[in-house]
Amino acid sequence: MKRKLIAMLLFACLAAGGVHMALAGGADVRSVLGGTVTWTVPVGTHVEEGSELVRISTLTGSSAAARANMAGTVREVLVRPGDVINKGSVVARISE
């Protein structure tokens, strides 16, 4: 009886943790410009809202293509220097 109760409690805790992780997944960051990527923020960097995440080279010069839309930690960068990106492309993911 005790084993069954402990197993049920353990399962409930694990399920609640999984739901929390899914809801706190973070945010996709999209490029506001298109061009060739020249720099990206390193994965694991803590950023504030508005921090530059991706810089590109365009016909008119170098510019920030994507900025953090929330404070958090950069979990994934989906582009690398040399890649050509379009406006609206998902370039990074941030979590709280």
Side-chain angles (χ1 to χ4, degrees):
M1 179 80 170
K2 282 186 180 182
R3 283 188 186 188
K4 202 173 201 179
L5 182 59
I6 291 172
M8 288 174 42
L9 286 173
L10 180 61
F11 177 76
C13 290
L14 290 174
V19 169
H20 174 72
M21 291 297 285
L23 293 176
D28 288 347
V29 179
R30 296 183 180 275
S31 174
V32 295
L33 298 172
T36 303
V37 177
T38 58
W39 175 85
T40 62
V41 67
V43 172
T45 301
H46 179 75
V47 294
E48 297 299 323
E49 184 175 353
S51 297
E52 189 173 332
L53 301 178
V54 176
R55 181 163 277 283
I56 60 168
S57 176
T58 67
L59 293 174
T60 59
S62 181
S63 185
R67 294 187 178 273
N69 52 9
M70 62 185 268
T73 302
V74 177
R75 293 292 172 209
E76 191 174 6
V77 177
L78 305 171
V79 297
R80 60 184 175 191
D83 289 352
V84 176
I85 59 173
N86 296 313
K87 180 180 178 181
S89 299
V90 176
V91 296
R93 291 193 174 95
I94 300 174
S95 65
E96 293 183 81

